[in-house]
Amino acid sequence: MEFNSKLMKDLSNCFSPSGREKNVREFITNEIKDYVDEIKVDALGNLIARKKGTGKKILFSAHMDQIGLIITHVDEKGFLRFSNVGGINAKELLGFRVVFDNGYEGVICSEKLEEKEKITFNKLYIDVASTSPDFVKTNFQIGDMCVFQSQYYETEECVICKAADDRIGCYILIEAIKNYSETETDVYYVFSVQEEVGCRGAVTAGYGINPDICIALDVTATGDSLDGIKMDVKLDGGAAIKLMDKSLITHPEIKDLLTNLAKENNIKYQYEVLEFGGTDAGAIHTTMSGVPSGVISIPTRNLHSCSEIFHKNDVLECIKLVNAVTKQ
Amino acid sequence: MIKDFLFEICSNQFVSGFEYSNGHILEKYFDAFTDSLERDKIGSYIFKSNGTKDTKIMLAAHIDEIGLMITSILDGGFLKFTSVGGINAASLVAQDVTIFGKENIFGVIGIKPPHLTSDEERKKPIKIEDLFIDTGYSKEYLEKIVSIGDVAVIKREPISLCGSVMSAKALDDRACVAVMIETAKELKKISHKSNIYYTATAQEETGCRGSKTAGYKIDPDIAIVLDVDFGMTPDMPPDTASLGKGPIVAIGGRLNPKLTKKFIDVCKEYNYKIQYEAVPAATGTDTESLQINREGIPCILLSIPLRYMHTSVETIDIEDVKNTGKAIARFINEIDNSDLEEILCF
C-alpha cells in the first residue's frame, strides 16, 4: 500500500477546531460513503460509519477536531484577544500564523514583556494585518475560531503538517475502510468530535453504540528527539500499542489481542507508556458496565504545534493492525 | 479472620488495571457469606448476597492499589518506571520491589550515596523520573522476562503493631474490603431482605473508573462507599481523625444528607463510635462516579482512619474495621425494616 499524500494533505488542511468539525466531517463523509453499509451523524456531531456484521461489535475511534484559538474580544484598534480551544501552551505561540474559516489569516503577537518566560494568554493578541478597525469588526467576532496555519510538507520518510493530531487517525480509518475485507465482525468507525476539550464526542458515541471492544487511533509522543520527553517510542518503530496514559490502563485482553495480531501478521509494533494525556478510549472504556479498550498510537513529534511530524511507515503498519483487528 | 484476610490480601498485588490476577483470594473469603460473583468489564468484583425484596444496596471499596509501571529497560539491568496512581517519590527510596514480568523478579530502588550528594541536590525534592529499579540482571536477560508496561509493587510484609494496630501496604483500600467481609458475616447471622452487592472496585486510584462501570451494572437504590482517610500523627492538623475511634462519616454535597443522618442515628442508638468530617466538594473516592451514575445514586461515605497514606507502611486499627462492618450491618437491617423511599425523600 502506498501512502496517499493527497488524502493526508486534504485532511490536514480542513478547518475544524473542536466544536466546529463540519468541514472535515463533510470531507470524510464523501471519502467513505460508498464503502460503508451505514453512515450517520449523532447529536453532538460524531460521524459514525458501519460495516455490518453478526459477530462482535468493535468500535474504532479517531477524532476529527483539532486544537485552535477562540476570539474573546475585538479591541478598539482592531486587534483580537483570544483564548485556547484544547491544550495549547501560551509560551509557544509567539509568531505563529493562524487562519480563520473565512480564509483570513493573522499572526500571534505579544505586548511588550520584561520576561519572555512569563508569557500568558492575556498578553497575546492576533494581528490580522489591517489598519481599519471597522474592517476587523465586520469580519471578526467574539466566538470565531482560528487554527494554526502551516504548509504541508513531505519527505521520502516523513510528513510535517498541522493537525496530524488526529487527522492521521482519521486517515488510517479511511484507508482501513477502503481496504476492508469481508468479516463477521460488526465494525463501527467513529470520527469523533471535541476530543481536544475532553473526549466529549467519544462519551456519547460510546454510549450510543455500547460496543464489545474499543480501539482508538490517536497520536502519541516520542522519545527520539531532543525535546526532553523520555519514553521508548520512536518514529519508524511501528504501530505503538498503548499500555497506559492518564485516561486509560489498557485492558489485558486488548494488549494481548493487538500484540498477537501484530506478531501473526508481521506488523511492526512497539509498546507505549505515556505519562501525560489521554484519548477517546479513556472516555469509552467506562461506558455502561465497561468496554475493554486499547489504543493504536501513531508516534508523532512536536505534538500540539503547527508542525507535527510522523513517519509514513508507522501509518501503514497502523492500517494493517486495524484491519487485522477487524478480521479476527 | 479479618486480620488473616488483611495479612493475606496485603501481601498480594492488585495494581490498578491488573486486578484480575489474584481474585481467588477475594473469593476464598467472600464465598461463605455470598451467593454469586460477577465481574464488570473493567475488573471490579461484585459479590452478591440475595435478599427477599427488590431493594439493591451496593457497598463499594476499591481493591486496586497504587503501583509502578516499567517504561524502559536500561543498560546494566536497570529499569525506568512511572507511577500508577499518586505516589510521593520520596516514599520509594530504599525500598524492595517485586516486578511482575513473565516471571516475578525482585529489585531495589536506591539513591546516590550522601557523600556524593551536594547541598544543593539535597534541597531538591526527589522526582520519580530520577529513580530506577536495580534488578542485578543483565539487560539481555531482562528483555526476555520484562517488557514495557509490566507493573511492580513495593515488597513489604504486613506487621502487627501494638494491640489491634497493624501496618501494611495497600490498606488503602483493602481495610475497607475487610469491612465488607465483616458486614457480610454479620448479615449472614442476622439475615437481610435487601439484595446486597459487595463490590471490590477496580481502578479507583486512577480515576474512580471501576465504580462507574460496576455502579452502572448493579443499578443500586443506594450505595455505601468505603474508603480510608487521614489518621492522626504529630505532623497532622488538630482536627484529624484518630485511629480506634470508629469510622469517619463524611458530610457534604456528594453525600445524601438523609441517608447519612440515618446512619448516624443508627450508630448513636446502638453505641457504635463514629467520627465526622466535612467534605464540601470532591471526596476523591468512588462517590465521585457513583453519585452521578445513571439517574443518580444516593451515597454515604464512611472512612477508616489510616496513617501514612500511599506509602508501604499504611497503618490502621483493626477494631475500626470490625466496628464499621458491624455498624453497616445494623444500618442495613434498619433500612430493611423501614421505608427507603421515605428516608430518601427530601
Side-chain angles (χ1 to χ4, degrees):
Chain A
M1 191 190 293
E2 288 278 304
F3 186 80
N4 185 342
S5 303
K6 181 173 185 310
L7 175 60
M8 187 60 216
K9 184 176 177 180
D10 289 346
L11 279 167
S12 168
N13 286 334
C14 283
F15 173 94
S16 289
S18 308
R20 304 281 182 274
E21 293 89 353
K22 182 167 171 281
N23 298 341
V24 65
R25 183 169 53 234
E26 283 174 359
F27 177 84
I28 295 171
T29 304
N30 277 326
E31 283 292 320
I32 61 172
K33 63 176 192 290
D34 297 336
Y35 297 87
V36 293
D37 299 325
E38 244 179 48
I39 191 160
K40 65 166 189 180
V41 178
D42 81 359
L44 281 200
N46 297 301
L47 177 65
I48 301 172
R50 182 179 177 195
K51 291 292 281 181
K52 283 187 186 170
T54 51
K56 255 191 177 179
K57 240 194 243 185
I58 296 188
L59 187 164
F60 289 106
S61 179
H63 68 89
M64 297 190 286
D65 62 313
Q66 70 195 109
I67 52 171
L69 303 172
I70 184 165
I71 304 307
T72 54
H73 176 66
V74 181
D75 81 5
E76 312 283 273
K77 292 180 176 163
F79 296 117
L80 312 177
R81 297 290 179 165
F82 61 89
S83 184
N84 57 316
V85 180
I88 291 177
N89 187 344
K91 291 186 179 64
E92 292 168 3
L93 286 180
L94 205 52
F96 272 21
R97 290 276 286 277
V98 293
V99 59
F100 290 81
D101 201 10
N102 57 18
Y104 288 123
E105 295 195 20
V107 60
I108 296 172
C109 307
S110 151
E111 294 173 18
K112 186 173 163 48
L113 290 169
E114 296 306 323
E115 291 170 273
K116 279 255 151 55
E117 280 298 302
K118 292 201 175 149
I119 213 162
T120 53
F121 279 104
N122 57 18
K123 297 285 181 197
L124 296 170
Y125 61 93
I126 297 169
D127 186 336
V128 293
S130 168
T131 55
S132 157
D134 284 343
F135 168 84
V136 177
K137 283 186 175 160
T138 313
N139 290 289
F140 301 90
Q141 271 90 43
I142 292 177
D144 285 356
M145 291 190 194
C146 58
V147 301
F148 300 147
Q149 174 69 313
S150 77
Q151 290 276 329
Y152 180 92
Y153 173 77
E154 194 176 319
T155 65
E156 277 293 302
E157 289 183 83
C158 291
V159 171
I160 303 180
C161 70
K162 62 181 167 179
D165 176 4
D166 186 26
R167 301 291 158 72
I168 188 57
C170 298
Y171 172 98
I172 288 165
L173 288 190
I174 292 168
E175 289 290 271
I177 289 169
K178 289 179 179 173
N179 292 285
Y180 166 92
S181 53
E182 212 50 50
T183 154
E184 288 191 351
T185 315
D186 198 12
V187 195
Y188 289 81
Y189 301 93
V190 174
F191 298 89
S192 66
V193 295
Q194 301 194 38
E195 191 271 353
E196 295 291 2
V197 288
C199 304
R200 296 172 189 166
V203 172
T204 58
Y207 188 90
I209 296 166
N210 191 25
D212 294 306
I213 68 169
C214 158
I215 309 282
L217 278 298
D218 209 335
V219 296
T220 191
T222 70
D224 64 349
S225 71
L226 306 179
D227 61 5
I229 296 172
K230 286 178 189 154
M231 59 195 289
D232 270 17
V233 174
K234 56 177 190 278
L235 294 193
D236 202 23
I241 298 174
K242 188 188 290 291
L243 301 179
M244 184 174 83
D245 64 20
K246 287 295 173 210
S247 73
L248 174 81
I249 300 164
T250 300
H251 195 283
E253 283 169 25
I254 303 296
K255 176 188 170 186
D256 291 346
L257 173 76
L258 294 176
T259 307
N260 293 337
L261 284 172
K263 283 181 182 162
E264 286 162 23
N265 295 284
N266 287 321
I267 296 166
K268 195 169 172 187
Y269 75 97
Q270 51 190 329
Y271 280 147
E272 170 212 346
V273 176
L274 185 67
E275 297 182 50
F276 49 89
T279 73
D280 279 350
I284 293 170
H285 83 295
T286 56
T287 302
M288 297 201 183
S289 62
V291 180
S293 299
V295 183
I296 301 172
S297 305
I298 308 91
T300 306
R301 290 180 187 161
N302 310 332
L303 286 176
H304 283 206
S305 77
C306 61
S307 299
E308 296 170 326
I309 301 176
F310 62 85
H311 200 290
K312 289 186 260 183
N313 288 349
D314 294 332
V315 174
L316 299 179
E317 298 304 303
C318 289
I319 296 167
K320 282 192 238 167
L321 192 49
V322 167
N323 276 335
V325 174
T326 311
K327 246 187 285 174
Q328 57 84 43
Chain B
M1 190 196 67
I2 291 297
K3 189 172 173 180
D4 293 342
F5 168 75
L6 284 172
F7 269 59
E8 185 172 358
I9 200 96
C10 292
S11 305
N12 284 279
Q13 74 87 12
F14 291 80
V15 175
S16 309
F18 296 79
E19 297 90 348
Y20 51 89
S21 37
N22 287 314
H24 61 276
I25 304 172
L26 289 170
E27 289 182 52
K28 186 169 97 184
Y29 285 90
F30 275 100
D31 253 8
F33 312 120
T34 55
D35 299 306
S36 61
L37 164 63
E38 276 195 279
R39 308 283 304 275
D40 70 9
K41 290 183 211 155
I42 294 292
S44 305
Y45 297 83
I46 305 167
F47 293 93
K48 183 185 177 194
S49 179
N50 297 328
T52 50
K53 56 182 196 180
D54 294 338
T55 312
K56 293 192 266 185
I57 300 178
M58 174 181 183
L59 277 72
H62 69 89
I63 187 64
D64 66 312
E65 67 187 294
I66 53 174
L68 311 176
M69 183 179 275
I70 307 304
T71 56
S72 190
I73 302 172
L74 307 179
D75 290 334
F78 301 103
L79 298 168
K80 295 295 287 180
F81 61 89
T82 185
S83 69
V84 182
I87 294 181
N88 179 347
S91 72
L92 296 174
V93 173
Q95 299 272 11
D96 305 5
V97 298
T98 308
I99 303 138
F100 301 93
K102 285 205 181 76
E103 52 191 80
N104 298 350
I105 57 169
F106 299 136
V108 294
I109 299 172
I111 190 175
K112 206 156 72 167
H115 321 66
L116 304 176
T117 312
S118 68
D119 284 349
E120 201 178 315
E121 277 178 304
R122 280 179 216 194
K123 280 181 200 148
K124 279 190 202 154
I126 293 164
K127 286 181 285 186
I128 285 187
E129 61 186 63
D130 302 329
L131 300 173
F132 46 83
I133 299 168
D134 184 350
T135 63
Y137 290 103
S138 69
K139 185 183 185 189
E140 292 66 35
Y141 184 75
L142 272 185
E143 280 173 338
K144 285 185 199 133
I145 49 174
V146 179
S147 66
I148 294 173
D150 287 348
V151 289
V153 295
I154 292 175
K155 183 170 166 288
R156 182 178 288 275
E157 294 303 313
I159 54 168
S160 283
L161 301 175
C162 178
S164 51
V165 177
M166 71 168 285
S167 174
K169 75 166 175 76
L171 281 170
D172 173 4
D173 189 29
R174 314 254 165 99
C176 291
V177 178
V179 169
M180 295 199 296
I181 294 175
E182 185 68 23
T183 301
K185 195 173 85 181
E186 283 294 301
L187 284 178
K188 192 82 184 172
K189 270 192 246 165
I190 61 178
S191 86
H192 56 89
K193 296 175 192 162
S194 303
N195 297 291
I196 316 293
Y197 296 81
Y198 303 99
T199 314
T201 60
Q203 298 194 37
E204 190 271 352
E205 296 291 2
T206 51
C208 305
R209 296 171 190 164
S211 55
K212 179 165 183 255
T213 52
Y216 188 93
K217 189 174 172 70
I218 297 166
D219 192 13
D221 295 291
I222 60 168
I224 301 166
V225 180
L226 303 165
D227 212 326
V228 294
D229 201 350
F230 310 115
M232 192 53 151
T233 45
D235 52 357
M236 294 294 278
D239 59 345
T240 307
S242 298
L243 267 61
K245 291 190 178 168
I248 307 158
V249 181
I251 297 163
R254 286 273 195 260
L255 299 321
N256 183 286
K258 293 191 71 183
L259 208 54
T260 303
K261 181 172 183 305
K262 179 77 183 169
F263 181 80
I264 294 169
D265 290 346
V266 169
C267 288
K268 282 184 179 161
E269 192 182 340
Y270 292 92
N271 289 318
Y272 288 108
K273 283 188 280 188
I274 49 174
Q275 313 179 66
Y276 301 96
E277 67 171 335
V279 192
T283 63
T285 70
D286 280 339
T287 50
E288 306 301 314
S289 57
L290 287 171
Q291 184 202 29
I292 51 168
N293 212 298
R294 292 195 183 231
E295 294 169 53
I297 301 168
C299 292
I300 65 169
L301 170 61
L302 310 175
S303 303
I304 298 293
L306 170 143
R307 294 176 185 151
Y308 322 113
M309 195 180 291
H310 284 207
T311 72
S312 64
V313 292
E314 293 181 331
T315 301
I316 59 156
D317 187 333
I318 297 172
E319 284 305 310
D320 287 332
V321 170
K322 290 181 182 168
N323 290 333
T324 306
K326 290 190 174 78
I328 293 169
R330 180 55 61 191
F331 173 64
I332 289 173
N333 186 260
E334 292 282 318
I335 299 256
D336 275 351
N337 296 316
S338 16
D339 183 354
L340 183 58
E341 259 181 54
E342 198 185 301
I343 295 175
L344 296 176
C345 179
F346 283 105

